[in-house]
Amino acid sequence: MLGLGMIAALLVIWPSMAGFYTDWLWFQNLGFGVVFSTVLVAKLSLGLMIGLTAAALVWFNLRLALRLSAVPNRDEPAFRVSEEGVPIPDLAVLVPRMIPPASLVIGAFAGVFGWGAWDTFLRFRHQQPFGEADPIFGRDIGFYFFTLPVLDLAAGLLFVLCAVSLIGAAAVYVVRSVGDDGDGVISFLRRRGPRAHILGLASAFFLILAWQVYLSMPNLLYSTAGPVAGAGYTDIAARLPLLWVKFYAALLASALALVCVFRVRNRTFWAGVAAYALSLIGGALFPAMLQRFSVAPNELVKETPYIKLNIAATRKAFGLDGVQERELTGEKTLSAQDIQDNQRTIQNIRLWDQQPLLDTFGQIQEIRTYYEFQSVDNDRYRINGEVQQVMLSPRELSAASLPNRNWINERLTFTHGFGLTVGPVAKATGEGLPVLFVKDIPPASTVPSLNVDRPEIYFGEMSNSPVYVKTNVKEFNHPAGEDNVFTSYAGDGGVPVGSTWRQLLFATRFADMKLLLSNDLTADSRVLYHRGIRERLGKVAPFLHFDGDPYLVIFEGRLFWINDAYTISDRYPYSQPVGRGTNYIRNSVKAVVDAYHGDVTLYIADERDPVIQTYARIFPEILRPLAEMPAGLREHLRYPEDIFKIQTAVYSTYHMDQPQVFYNKEDQWTVASVTGSGDKSESQVMEPYYTIMKLPEEKAEEFILMLPFTPQRKDNLAAWMVARADGEHYGQLVVYRFPKQRLIFGPKQVTARINQDPEVSRQITLWSQAGSQVILGTLMVIPIKESLIYVQPLYLRAVTGKIPELRRVIVVAENRIAMEPTLDASLARVFGNAPPSGAAPSGQLLTGIPATDDKQATVGAPLNAQAKMHYDRMLQAQRDGDWARFGEELKQLGSVIERLAIQR
């Protein structure tokens, strides 16, 4: 039986042991062993220390109660049999036997509590001061981030342990006293020993209560009882003084409990308890009365100083204290010359939305069914001497789409994705498809700076299942016509799994017994796991919060993932919480992952953040200065979208820095929204978007992230915010305000005007009736000088087709609307000037889509050439089954023939 028990215990413990050891191997292979060991030591130390202390404290008090109570005959049985033959437990006999296991159980719960508090403890131990004091108590902000959480946890744990000890000791006394002398269940209080023990525990209980009350004072700075977060008038004028009263009342009750140990009666102690109870009642009633009868009628006057504190703290906590605000007149009317002077801005207007682009890539670039384009990333590269915005999409492997799913295919053969597609954001072919700088398998690049020498993607957004490399089975690398090209992993990523012992460990970890039975593994074989980018980074840096959009970068012919990481907290005094309570955030880290080797490097992006400096002290070997990042990678750093969304949401309220204006919400903004069309007619909040543009008053174009604002419950444009992402300006936030007295159309108003435009509406109806699906893309707000233009792409997709084609570009400027096949044609129609002679239209190649009538025909093209062009496209539309386009081309051909007849 003992042998069977050991085997059963081993079967239970073995999976955990295998998981623990393989985790250690994984961290060691990545060079992050210090994270594993530091966290493990902290968890074990805290868990054991707190668990053993809690168990010992509870055991001591229960044993003391047992010793001080009446002791029955130890030879009596634990159960007595009633007259009916039913066994009845004798609690007086059972209690001594229950104390050790009860103490261990309580200690185990306390140990689990300590195990989970490792992060709080390590931050307290290695804390970095903020160098800023809170406005009420004058403590460094670091106290609230690092010290106060530890004190709160310690006070809460001691409170629970003291309460359990007090209740447990009283229960022991009651059980051991029943029937002992016939004086009732509380007769033990007449005995000196039990009475002194209970009063001592009561004294400790109120002493801990006093500590908790004291700690609740700095916690007032997180109060949400007033109009804004932070201690308000009622908190400072009423709750804080009453907390001091409660604090001294608890100390008094604690002291009186000790005094009663040496007295016969307990009246003095109960007087202390009554005093504490009165402080509780007063603490509930007086603030409520003050708020209702004094503060509420004069709330703005009373709360103004605290609103100022909230505004300053919130702006500081969310990185908005350095926002540059610039005023725009809104009176500038754009001309054709302005458009010409801002050609780089025009040439980088994004005309391809993510979903249409993914749908297109899925049809023309996936090549095989098991490849998948998961996401599209915006970035900029120097192409032909100019920085140009492009869209990249990695071609990843989807194991779920393999035609023959088996263990060898999923674990040994199909191990990685291959290559990517890269194209400009503002160009399309004559067929309405995206222009590609990098395409096909293997990747073929038309731009030398975008050459990819190592296109294999072993680590990506879709790479989640473990794979085994350097085995006897050749890995599928990429298709080549009717044949396949195979390879063998040449990297140093993964954990060696060549020995039988390692194979046993990983077979247990992955519940993969086929690993033990396979003959394909060699002494050099390695296993790659935790291959998903966010999963991998979350494992090596569990103290960081990662952005939801990692993006791919081409650097020196290799592929790297960059993922932004944040330090967040809910501990900044007076800062307004958002979301799940977050009231502090910094984009403190840039994480880089090698798509082939899986190497992870973490760079500190915000040296001023005390939180990341604290983690740099905890894990000194894993966080590197940003200056150590290769310059070629630093050129591709973006301002992340997740933090920008939070900052714009906060700034929509906290741009108001005057308390009265803030209190009345006189100038409240909201992130602009647009109204969709068709089945998506509901209002949709705009998402931030990247673009390259020349900001007003700046001399050169730059890569930015931007989002417009509208006044709350109104649709006109109020302002727009940008986050700069290039060079020395990286991370700088700028807000451009429009004058309140001037109406500037907002995105929703522009969308409504587009939908109501007769020409646009007629054309969309015609396409829809002809069986084509019309897809309106994202409406882009493009600032030029001190004015705006709106640009919206329009895609067509045949009902039976899967490829959306860019067919029109809508441009709106003030009261003028144009919908033409190219961006340049729409701009020319709006501003009355054709594109520069000999220049390729920024929206498309020279072989662009034809115009809708003779006035919009290709500039300078002979009529016979135009006729041939329309005829060829009629035939193509017929082959594609796109009868709407066929009819349009037929109409254009007829117009050109009429003009030819006139010339003759």
Side-chain angles (χ1 to χ4, degrees):
M1 293 295 293
L2 183 60
L4 291 175
M6 293 181 63
I7 292 173
L10 183 61
L11 290 175
V12 173
I13 297 173
W14 170 247
S16 298
M17 293 174 58
F20 172 81
Y21 185 63
T22 52
D23 270 346
W24 165 252
L25 293 174
W26 185 83
F27 276 94
Q28 285 292 100
N29 173 263
L30 269 182
F32 283 78
V34 64
V35 175
F36 184 89
S37 58
T38 301
V39 173
L40 178 63
V41 169
K43 286 181 175 180
L44 287 176
S45 301
L46 284 173
L48 288 174
M49 181 180 67
I50 293 176
L52 291 176
T53 301
L57 183 63
V58 173
W59 178 85
F60 172 79
N61 280 287
L62 296 183
R63 287 295 300 177
L64 181 61
L66 195 65
R67 186 179 184 86
L68 295 175
S69 61
V71 181
N73 187 349
R74 292 182 180 274
D75 296 331
E76 293 183 5
F79 291 88
R80 298 176 182 175
V81 180
S82 65
E83 295 180 358
E84 291 81 9
V86 178
I88 302 175
D90 190 338
L91 294 180
V93 178
L94 284 176
V95 163
R97 305 177 188 179
M98 295 168 59
I99 288 176
S103 301
L104 289 176
V105 169
I106 293 171
F109 279 107
V112 171
F113 173 82
W115 177 281
W118 67 270
D119 188 39
T120 304
F121 171 75
L122 288 177
R123 285 187 297 169
F124 165 71
R125 183 179 176 185
H126 299 275
Q127 62 182 278
Q128 170 76 24
F130 273 64
E132 306 166 12
D134 81 81
I136 302 299
F137 302 106
R139 293 188 176 98
D140 187 89
I141 301 298
F143 168 82
Y144 296 89
F145 271 68
F146 309 122
T147 302
L148 186 57
V150 169
L151 298 179
D152 284 337
L153 290 177
L157 179 63
L158 288 176
F159 178 84
V160 172
L161 292 178
C162 188
V164 169
S165 297
L166 179 60
I167 295 171
V172 170
Y173 287 128
V174 168
V175 169
R176 305 277 282 180
S177 298
V178 172
D180 185 50
D181 53 14
D183 290 337
V185 296
I186 61 170
S187 60
F188 68 90
L189 291 178
R190 299 190 182 96
R191 300 174 186 160
R192 182 175 182 80
R195 180 171 173 272
H197 185 202
I198 294 297
L199 286 173
L201 286 174
S203 176
F205 180 80
F206 278 98
L207 187 63
I208 295 170
L209 269 182
W211 188 24
Q212 287 188 314
V213 171
Y214 181 78
L215 293 178
S216 65
M217 297 179 193
N219 278 305
L220 277 178
L221 303 192
Y222 306 117
S223 171
T224 56
V228 293
Y233 181 86
T234 302
D235 294 311
I236 300 301
R239 291 190 177 92
L240 183 58
L242 286 172
L243 284 175
W244 281 110
V245 172
K246 191 187 299 184
F247 171 74
Y248 287 116
L251 287 180
L252 177 65
S254 176
L256 293 179
L258 288 180
V259 169
C260 288
V261 171
F262 305 100
R263 294 189 176 186
V264 177
R265 296 183 179 276
N266 302 326
R267 292 178 180 176
T268 307
F269 168 66
W270 291 115
V273 174
Y276 184 76
L278 287 175
S279 72
L280 291 177
I281 296 172
L285 293 180
F286 180 64
M289 294 174 63
L290 181 68
Q291 177 68 31
R292 180 171 182 180
F293 297 108
S294 178
V295 177
N298 309 281
E299 190 171 50
L300 176 58
V301 175
K302 300 281 188 181
E303 298 289 358
T304 290
Y306 308 104
I307 292 175
K308 288 182 179 178
L309 295 178
N310 172 264
I311 293 173
T314 302
R315 290 170 67 111
K316 182 76 174 178
F318 287 97
L320 298 171
D321 54 323
V323 173
Q324 297 182 9
E325 295 191 357
R326 301 177 184 177
E327 299 293 334
L328 299 175
T329 64
E331 298 175 355
K332 172 68 176 178
T333 299
L334 292 177
S335 65
Q337 186 59 46
D338 293 324
I339 299 301
Q340 181 60 35
D341 293 342
N342 289 269
Q343 273 300 296
R344 285 197 59 205
T345 297
I346 299 299
Q347 291 168 6
N348 285 281
I349 295 175
R350 177 167 61 85
L351 299 181
W352 286 101
D353 286 356
Q354 174 164 302
Q355 195 55 53
L357 199 58
L358 285 175
D359 292 343
T360 302
F361 286 164
Q363 295 300 312
I364 67 175
Q365 280 294 305
E366 282 186 358
I367 312 298
R368 297 290 172 87
T369 58
Y370 39 77
Y371 287 130
E372 185 172 331
F373 291 97
Q374 176 76 11
S375 63
V376 176
D377 301 314
N378 279 272
D379 203 350
R380 69 285 198 198
Y381 286 81
R382 187 167 294 279
I383 299 171
N384 298 326
E386 283 192 349
V387 175
Q388 186 170 340
Q389 185 178 354
V390 299
M391 304 186 79
L392 305 87
S393 187
R395 185 184 291 105
E396 298 200 56
L397 182 76
S398 173
S401 300
L402 289 173
N404 183 16
R405 298 189 63 183
N406 56 53
W407 188 83
I408 292 179
N409 278 346
E410 293 186 29
R411 296 289 185 266
L412 306 181
T413 305
F414 292 89
T415 57
H416 57 274
F418 196 86
L420 75 167
T421 58
V422 183
V425 297
K427 291 186 179 180
T429 67
E431 292 75 30
L433 301 178
V435 173
L436 296 178
F437 293 147
V438 180
K439 61 181 179 179
D440 299 336
I441 297 178
S445 174
T446 59
V447 179
S449 60
L450 297 177
N451 286 335
V452 180
D453 303 320
R454 178 63 78 182
E456 296 88 351
I457 302 176
Y458 283 87
F459 302 88
E461 293 184 271
M462 295 182 62
S463 307
N464 292 319
S465 58
V467 295
Y468 305 98
V469 295
K470 298 186 178 181
T471 67
N472 289 327
V473 177
K474 289 293 185 181
E475 300 172 49
F476 171 79
N477 200 31
H478 63 82
E482 298 298 325
D483 299 322
N484 292 327
V485 177
F486 293 86
T487 189
S488 183
Y489 183 65
D492 53 7
V495 177
V497 70
S499 67
T500 303
W501 167 245
R502 291 281 181 92
Q503 292 171 20
L504 177 62
L505 287 170
F506 284 101
T508 303
R509 179 189 179 97
F510 300 129
D512 187 3
M513 291 301 106
K514 291 181 180 179
L515 178 62
L516 287 174
L517 303 176
S518 176
N519 295 322
D520 293 316
L521 272 68
T522 69
D524 298 324
S525 295
R526 306 175 78 89
V527 58
L528 309 180
Y529 56 110
H530 296 315
R531 298 193 297 138
I533 299 302
R534 295 188 67 197
E535 176 196 9
R536 192 173 189 81
L537 292 173
K539 191 80 173 175
V540 301
F543 48 89
L544 296 174
H545 299 261
F546 289 92
D547 191 87
D549 183 26
Y551 58 99
L552 201 63
V553 171
I554 303 172
F555 173 60
E556 295 183 346
R558 297 165 57 193
L559 301 178
F560 294 87
W561 294 94
I562 297 180
N563 201 6
D564 289 277
Y566 310 108
T567 49
I568 67 172
S569 178
D570 58 356
R571 308 297 298 182
Y572 201 98
Y574 271 103
S575 176
Q576 193 73 28
V578 298
R580 298 181 179 180
T582 298
N583 70 0
Y584 175 90
I585 185 169
R586 289 291 185 273
N587 175 210
S588 299
V589 172
K590 302 288 186 179
V592 178
V593 181
D594 190 315
Y596 186 78
H597 297 282
D599 297 334
V600 175
T601 311
L602 304 178
Y603 298 96
I604 297 178
D606 189 351
E607 297 280 355
R608 299 168 299 174
D609 178 25
V611 179
I612 200 60
Q613 292 300 335
T614 297
Y615 282 119
R617 290 181 173 187
I618 299 172
F619 308 106
E621 302 174 20
I622 69 167
L623 292 166
R624 301 182 183 182
L626 188 63
E628 294 184 12
M629 178 185 285
L633 285 177
R634 283 205 306 273
E635 292 176 355
H636 296 283
L637 295 182
R638 312 184 312 189
Y639 197 86
E641 291 184 59
D642 285 357
I643 189 174
F644 190 66
K645 289 179 183 178
I646 294 174
Q647 288 174 319
T648 50
V650 173
Y651 196 78
S652 64
T653 298
Y654 282 84
H655 69 278
M656 299 178 286
D657 54 7
Q658 297 301 314
Q660 181 173 353
V661 176
F662 180 93
Y663 179 82
N664 293 319
K665 299 296 185 290
E666 297 174 18
D667 194 22
Q668 176 80 45
W669 293 348
T670 186
V671 174
S673 59
V674 294
T675 303
S677 61
D679 296 334
K680 297 183 178 180
S681 57
E682 71 278 3
S683 181
Q684 302 168 358
V685 176
M686 292 187 68
E687 294 289 325
Y689 52 90
Y690 295 99
T691 188
I692 292 178
M693 64 170 289
K694 183 191 295 183
L695 294 173
E697 301 179 7
E698 299 295 334
K699 297 180 180 179
E701 289 79 8
E702 55 188 292
F703 190 66
I704 63 164
L705 180 65
M706 74 167 291
L707 198 59
F709 295 105
T710 60
Q712 191 173 40
R713 292 186 293 274
K714 292 185 178 180
D715 296 330
N716 60 289
L717 207 63
W720 46 279
M721 175 183 276
V722 301
R724 305 173 76 175
D726 284 343
E728 62 181 8
H729 299 300
Y730 179 87
Q732 189 177 91
L733 300 176
V734 186
V735 171
Y736 294 88
R737 293 171 174 257
F738 289 104
K740 296 180 182 179
Q741 66 273 15
R742 183 173 174 83
L743 175 64
I744 306 295
F745 287 127
K748 186 179 288 188
Q749 293 171 320
V750 170
T751 302
R753 293 184 61 218
I754 291 173
N755 292 336
Q756 294 167 6
D757 183 82
E759 181 179 343
V760 174
S761 178
R762 177 186 60 79
Q763 188 63 66
I764 290 177
T765 301
L766 177 63
W767 280 320
S768 300
Q769 291 175 347
S772 295
Q773 180 186 1
V774 178
I775 304 171
L776 286 172
T778 300
L779 181 69
M780 309 285 288
V781 183
I782 308 298
I784 296 180
K785 292 192 173 181
E786 292 199 8
S787 189
L788 299 170
I789 63 171
Y790 287 87
V791 177
Q792 185 174 37
L794 183 148
Y795 313 94
L796 284 185
R797 177 163 52 192
V799 175
T800 57
K802 297 182 179 180
I803 301 179
E805 299 173 354
L806 178 61
R807 286 303 177 189
R808 292 291 183 272
V809 179
I810 303 171
V811 172
V812 180
E814 296 182 345
N815 294 317
R816 293 162 290 176
I817 300 176
M819 183 179 73
E820 302 297 333
T822 68
L823 175 59
D824 277 341
S826 291
L827 289 170
R829 184 171 175 185
V830 168
F831 295 102
N833 192 19
S837 177
S842 61
Q844 298 186 306
L845 300 180
L846 281 172
T847 56
I849 302 170
T852 55
D853 56 48
D854 59 308
K855 294 181 182 181
Q856 303 159 14
T858 304
V859 176
L863 291 177
N864 57 353
Q866 293 183 35
K868 178 66 166 60
M869 179 179 62
H870 291 305
Y871 177 73
D872 291 341
R873 289 180 180 174
M874 281 177 55
L875 297 179
Q876 182 62 44
Q878 184 182 34
R879 287 191 291 269
D880 293 343
D882 190 347
W883 299 110
R885 181 152 57 99
F886 179 87
E888 184 181 347
E889 297 295 344
L890 179 61
K891 177 181 177 182
Q892 296 297 329
L893 179 59
S895 175
V896 173
I897 292 174
E898 288 178 3
R899 293 169 62 192
L900 280 170
I902 293 174
Q903 287 186 359
R904 291 177 183 176

